Amino acid sequence: QVQLVEFGGGLVQAGGSLRLSCAASGRTFSALGWFRQAPGKEREFVSAINWRGGSSYYADSVKGRFTLSRDNAKNTVYLEMNSLKPEDTAVYYCAASLRFAASLRSIATMKYDYWGQGTQVTVSP
């Protein structure tokens, strides 16, 4: 059974930090990443890591503030979110893809096959 289990959502003050975790099981994935969706807005890409090569890619809105890492032994990815802004408020979804990106940039737009349940991140001003 394919499973993506998320942890770490919560409420934090602007400028604070939060760490999200996603434990994946049941398959070998080409990429694991994070998307987010705020009320009334479309889902947007946040960050993803190529599992084989270990390289990461970030959306411009979070670049320099968010860091993606992994623990191979635990088959888990982490999203360290620093300098959080109210605009970061959204439901964050862990996602896994079976596809292989031809380029690192394409990891943001390729199809993702499995999704976590989502975790709410709220940043207060």
Side-chain angles (χ1 to χ4, degrees), residues 22-45:
C22 176
S25 62
R27 283 260 206 165
T28 298
F29 304 107
S30 65
L32 289 171
W34 293 91
F35 292 75
R36 67 186 182 186
Q37 187 168 24
K41 298 182 179 179
E42 295 183 357
R43 183 183 64 192
E44 66 172 334
F45 172 82

Side-chain angles (χ1 to χ4, degrees), residues 12-18 65-66 81-86 88 123:
V12 66
Q13 290 276 344
S17 299
L18 209 58
R65 299 188 298 120
F66 291 10
M81 304 184 293
N82 300 309
S83 301
L84 283 162
K85 306 174 181 179
D88 295 316
V123 184

